[in-house]
Amino acid sequence: MAANHGAGSDYVPALLERAGPFNPDGNNGFNIEHLRNVNNAAPAVAFGFETQPGHAASANRGEYQPLRNSGFTGSATNVDSVGGITYGGTGVYGAQVGGVWDALLGEGRNFWFFASSDWHNRGIFGPDDRRSTQDFQPGEYQRNNTLVRNGADTLRPHTIVDGLRTGNNFSTSGQLIDRLAFVACVSYPGIGARSNAAVEALAVAAATSSLVTSYKTPGSAAYAGEWPRNLAWLRADGSTADLSVVPAAAKNTSAAVHKTFSGSGSAAWATVTSGLDNSPFLKMTYRLSALQASQYLRLRGSNLPAAVPFETDANGNPLADIFTNAGNTSMLKIPCTTVGSNVPPAGATYTGNAIDGCPLHLPVVAGQKMVAYDVAAWADLWFYSNPVYIEVAGKTLVAGIR
């Protein structure tokens, strides 16, 4: 593709974690070394992955699930989707702070996060029904929001792909946000940002450790590694192991959540108004001082605060979606108790389409409707930005933008 269509082709693997780790017998699945391989071979063609899958309303979100994949290594052994399941609708490669995506970004690679809006059917409902036990309509739930610079030219498919190629994209579920300005700047005069294909690296004056490293060397111990399989990552009770069980090649332990903003408290965002149309925006500012190493910043947001039972941990990270997946009703943990405005009379069976309360298609466990399917998806929303790299003078060069 790079040799014959270098400026007109793209390779972005989809449903990345669903097929499990790399299977040498079946030639399916991806480990981190395969992502490094294709990005090394053609960085302008293999520039990212889809780690926020479609099928968000299915019985198993994204159709990721434990023991999904059979026939690995010539046996009948079943293997989980990588990570076992999704986490807030995102695969573990993208959702895990310090995991595979951070390992790639930590090398200074241009390797971007994308969502998909896969459509097959509405499940038990017709295509025009608002309810779903399978897929949302294209663009209804998950979207890539991409900056496209086409000048006076007509907006063409190729220019949209070029926008994706630059990484000027944020991915969102449920239209949690519809606009994002993510800007890094310096407070010292005379030092500005330089860019390559609209991917910015900010040059700052400073000087010891390195959060962005050079590229890993193929064949080295730090280059290849498989994410832990089956119960070695996602335990039977829905909890997960930590990064200590992940091979060094597939993690970046320097990555961490550094700042969290909310609507109130000591780290509250400010509300500002657009000077163009008076639209309200939320503004958040974070200052980094005396930087000692080249690094990157990325953003993630949710409609859920930290420490929501079965949804987020104490740091606001998404928990395994196994607690809202109807594929295994024994794991369902969140009851749906909202009473809608259109309630059937006593003794009657309701067959209407009002869904402002708990809809009929939710699974029932011991007489209680439980959150699953489309209700689980709309209640658990996330967005992810791609990174801004910061290159400290005299420290590690951010190789991917050169």
Side-chain angles (χ1 to χ4, degrees), residues 346-369:
T349 300
Y350 177 62
T351 58
N353 194 30
I355 55 172
D356 57 338
C358 299
L360 291 181
H361 66 274
L362 291 183
V364 177
V365 178
Q368 172 64 59
K369 287 182 184 176

Side-chain angles (χ1 to χ4, degrees), residues 2 34 71 73-74 77 80 131 167 169 179 188 198 244 254 271 278 290 301 306 346 349 366 379 398 400:
H34 305 106
T73 61
T77 301
D80 293 353
R131 297 166 295 180
N169 181 90
R179 280 168 284 184
Y188 302 103
S244 66
S254 72
T271 301
N278 294 319
T349 300
V398 182

